[in-house]
Amino acid sequence: ESKTDSKKEAVAAAIARAKAKKQAAAQADQQSEQQESKTDSKKEAVAAAIARAKAKKQAAQTTQQSDNKLPDNSDVIEARKQRKEQAQLYKQEKQLNTESNNNNSDAPATQESADEKNQLQADQRKAKIAAAIAKAKAQKTAQKD
């Protein structure tokens, strides 16, 4: 988007310079037809040079302004945060699953292991709920921006 804006601004600046040059040339032709004195032609040349310089200065300012604009990456940053949170949750779930599988294969099922399993499932549910809340908040802030 910024590339196309800078291209458009560059084209607009070039058109402005061409128009200024054309206008200065037209003024120079009109004035030279009206007055043949040397001082008038010098004044016209100076006026044309000033017009060209102004057009160049304006073009430089527009390109400099377009270079100073930085793209808004807030959406990308927010999406990255969400993916990171999801990856962390996935790792936690995977680790909990492997731990519970190891516990189940090594020891017989007892009341304590059942309680631990229930606690892990509750923790997983809480983590999923927290992730859903974080995702909703992130989407809400993204909509505000």
Side-chain angles (χ1 to χ4, degrees):
E1 182 180 338
S2 65
K3 289 182 181 179
T4 57
D5 289 344
S6 63
K7 286 181 181 179
K8 288 179 182 178
E9 291 174 357
V11 169
I15 290 171
R17 282 195 306 271
K19 285 182 179 179
K21 193 172 184 180
K22 185 176 179 180
Q23 184 180 11
Q27 287 177 351
D29 289 341
Q30 288 174 358
Q31 289 180 359
S32 66
E33 290 173 5
Q34 292 173 358
Q35 300 173 353
E36 294 291 324
S37 72
K38 290 183 181 180
T39 58
D40 288 340
S41 63
K42 287 183 181 180
K43 288 180 183 179
E44 292 169 8
V46 169
I50 290 172
R52 285 192 301 270
K54 285 182 180 178
K56 268 189 175 181
K57 185 177 180 182
Q58 183 183 8
Q61 286 177 346
T62 56
T63 55
Q64 187 179 33
Q65 287 174 354
S66 66
D67 291 343
N68 290 340
K69 293 179 184 175
L70 297 176
D72 184 22
N73 292 334
S74 60
D75 295 338
V76 175
I77 292 169
E78 195 61 40
R80 182 178 288 165
K81 285 180 184 178
Q82 289 176 359
R83 287 193 306 267
K84 191 173 183 180
E85 289 174 3
Q86 289 173 351
Q88 288 175 346
L89 288 174
Y90 176 75
K91 284 182 181 180
Q92 289 174 354
E93 289 178 18
K94 189 174 179 180
Q95 184 180 12
L96 292 174
N97 287 337
T98 56
E99 286 176 3
S100 64
N101 287 341
N102 290 342
N103 289 340
N104 290 340
S105 63
D106 292 343
T110 63
Q111 183 64 26
E112 290 180 14
S113 65
D115 289 340
E116 288 177 17
K117 187 175 181 181
N118 289 338
Q119 182 64 31
L120 289 175
Q121 288 176 351
D123 289 343
Q124 287 177 346
R125 278 188 242 128
K126 287 179 184 178
K128 287 180 182 179
I129 291 170
I133 291 171
K135 184 177 179 181
K137 286 182 180 179
Q139 288 175 348
K140 188 175 181 180
T141 56
Q143 288 175 354
K144 286 182 182 179
D145 293 339

